[in-house]
């Protein structure tokens, strides 16, 4: 996927203020609108210009894009880092007249309906004297162990406001959030009244926090199911063994059956993420051959080879 330089698409410098971005978009939109334009590839250019404006007109999307894209150039191979948007608080703000579903894969990977927080963009703010505040949305990364135990965690959210120079500025706020025991990735925590303030006597909106798990050195989760790769020596796999296995809920003693194969799965029922029906934890066996660095170790391998007369390629006609 190619990185898109939205400033270059609009012909703007990165320090352009919001008024300049708006003026430039209107000029280019008139030039390339497919209903009136005679320009070559007008429809494609209109979509490209509308996509760039969709991001740069919104202070929060622009600030997130600016932070993500530092050091990238248009056309450069690009993959957004996992949870790149964690901690950013996104408010409402409608789409341009273009269809966002027609935008590029680059836009979709960052702000599209299938991910990010596009579901939170609920249209233009109401301007009545009394109006409810909009809901806001953010993704937060927690430890997998937090899901096992629950508890209160302090989080920091970044959101953007327009500064006096017309450019977005990042501000932070800290919140104490209760993490429910058993929460899984993709689920949301609703904080009533923590969204955008209302106008006049209108009540404030709510804040929705989407949960993602931080990368873990041992485990990864899919729904309520948790997976652990367990290294084994060849003799442990061949002869069987009893080994102590870590789990997010504490270590357990696991029996390794004799003649276990690399990649085999052993299920620890109910050791996954807790719930009314808790998930399972699967231990994936990873047979690791020790290195032969010393002469004694090499001789042990030679004796091993003589004892077994084993050809792992026999099924290939070798």
């Amino acid at each position: 996927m190619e990185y898109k330089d939205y400033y270059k698409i609009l012909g703007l410098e990165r320090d352009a203020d919001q008024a300049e971005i708006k003026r430039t978009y209107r000029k280019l939109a008139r030039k390339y609108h497919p209903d009136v334009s005679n320009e070559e590839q007008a429809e494609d250019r209109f979509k490209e210009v509308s996509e760039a404006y969709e991001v740069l007109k919104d202070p929060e999307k622009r600030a997130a894009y600016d932070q993500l894209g530092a050091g990238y150039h248009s056309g450069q191979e690009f993959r957004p880092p996992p949870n790149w948007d964690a901690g950013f608080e996104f408010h409402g703000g409608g789409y341009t007249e273009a269809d966002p579903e027609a935008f590029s894969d680059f836009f979709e990977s960052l702000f599209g309906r299938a991910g990010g927080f596009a579901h939170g963009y609920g249209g233009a703010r109401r301007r009545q004297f009394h109006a409810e505040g909009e809901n806001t949305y953010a993704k937060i990364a927690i430890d997998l162990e937090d899901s096992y135990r629950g508890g209160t965690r302090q989080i920091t959210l970044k959101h953007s406001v327009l500064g006096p120079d017309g450019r977005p500025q990042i501000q932070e706020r800290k919140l104490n959030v209760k993490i429910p025991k058993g929460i899984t990735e993709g689920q949301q925590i609703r904080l009533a009244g923590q969204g955008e303030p209302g106008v006049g006597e209108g009540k404030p909106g709510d804040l929705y926090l989407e949960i993602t798990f931080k990368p873990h050195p041992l485990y990864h989760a899919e729904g309520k199911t948790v997976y652990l790769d367990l290294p084994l020596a060849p003799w442990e796999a061949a002869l069987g063994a009893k080994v102590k296995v870590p789990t997010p809920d504490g270590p357990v003693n696991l029996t390794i059956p004799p003649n276990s194969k690399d990649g085999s799965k052993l299920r620890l029922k109910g050791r996954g993420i807790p719930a009314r029906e808790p998930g399972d934890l699967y231990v994936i066996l990873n047979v690791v051959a020790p290195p032969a660095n010393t002469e004694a170790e090499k001789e042990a391998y030679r004796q091993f080879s003589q004892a077994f007369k084993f050809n792992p390629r026999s099924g290939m006609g070798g």
Side-chain angles (χ1 to χ4, degrees):
M1 180 172 63
E2 292 185 353
Y3 177 80
K4 285 187 173 290
D5 187 335
Y6 290 136
Y7 293 97
K8 185 177 180 180
I9 288 171
L10 294 181
L12 294 169
E13 298 295 329
R14 287 188 169 265
D15 60 355
D17 62 26
Q18 297 303 113
E20 186 179 0
I21 290 171
K22 187 175 184 178
R23 286 195 305 270
T24 302
Y25 165 71
R26 286 180 171 177
K27 178 181 176 181
L28 293 175
R30 284 194 300 269
K31 180 178 180 180
Y32 293 113
H33 197 290
D35 291 343
V36 297
S37 178
N38 294 320
E39 297 282 342
E40 187 176 350
Q41 298 180 325
E43 184 174 357
D44 291 340
R45 283 288 290 133
F46 179 74
K47 289 179 180 178
E48 192 174 43
V49 165
S50 296
E51 178 179 327
Y53 183 61
E54 174 62 40
V55 174
L56 299 186
K57 77 180 180 68
D58 185 301
E60 284 151 349
K61 277 189 275 188
R62 182 183 179 185
Y65 169 79
D66 286 349
Q67 177 174 290
L68 174 70
Y72 283 96
H73 302 286
S74 187
Q76 189 174 357
E77 185 65 21
F78 175 80
R79 287 289 181 274
N83 301 322
W84 71 272
D85 52 352
F88 269 98
E89 185 177 0
F90 291 85
H91 294 65
Y95 284 105
T96 62
E97 59 184 288
D99 179 5
E101 294 184 355
F103 289 162
S104 68
D105 291 342
F106 176 77
F107 178 92
E108 182 73 17
S109 69
L110 301 182
F111 302 107
R113 294 183 184 277
F117 296 95
H119 56 276
Y121 302 132
R125 295 180 58 181
R126 286 173 287 180
R127 300 297 184 182
Q128 296 92 339
F129 181 72
H130 301 295
E132 294 182 2
E134 291 182 351
N135 296 332
T136 60
Y137 302 81
K139 183 184 291 184
I140 61 170
I142 65 172
D143 294 325
L144 178 64
E145 289 84 354
D146 290 335
S147 177
Y148 274 75
R149 302 180 181 91
T152 300
R153 301 288 181 270
Q154 186 179 77
I155 65 167
T156 300
L157 294 182
K158 295 172 284 188
H159 64 277
S160 177
V161 297
L162 286 181
D165 59 354
R167 298 204 74 239
Q169 297 179 349
I170 296 296
Q171 293 184 347
E172 293 185 349
R173 64 165 171 160
K174 297 184 183 296
L175 293 170
N176 291 319
V177 178
K178 183 177 181 180
I179 307 298
K181 183 176 179 179
I183 197 166
T184 57
E185 280 197 303
Q187 289 187 315
Q188 292 184 338
I189 299 173
R190 173 177 169 264
L191 300 183
Q194 291 293 334
E196 192 168 292
V199 178
E201 296 179 2
K203 67 179 182 179
D206 299 331
L207 168 62
Y208 289 86
L209 301 175
E210 181 182 332
I211 295 297
T212 186
F213 291 139
K214 298 175 185 177
H216 199 286
L218 297 179
Y219 316 107
H220 76 274
E222 296 178 8
K224 295 187 296 183
T225 305
V226 177
Y227 296 88
L228 164 70
D229 289 323
L230 180 68
L232 288 178
W235 47 88
E236 292 176 318
L239 303 177
K242 290 187 180 294
V243 297
K244 182 175 286 188
V245 175
T247 79
D249 208 22
V252 298
N253 292 316
L254 180 65
T255 299
I256 307 298
N259 294 317
S260 291
K261 296 181 179 180
D262 185 69
S264 297
K265 295 180 181 179
L266 301 180
R267 183 175 73 143
L268 295 178
K269 186 176 180 179
R271 289 279 182 170
I273 291 178
R276 182 174 298 176
E277 293 184 9
D280 299 326
L281 188 148
Y282 284 91
V283 178
I284 303 173
L285 305 184
N286 180 19
V287 181
V288 181
N293 295 321
T294 67
E295 187 56 38
E297 290 167 346
K298 294 176 183 178
E299 179 60 28
Y301 267 116
R302 285 191 282 267
Q303 293 180 13
F304 188 82
S305 172
Q306 291 298 316
F308 278 89
K309 306 294 183 183
F310 176 62
N311 182 1
R313 297 169 297 282
S314 59
M316 303 172 64

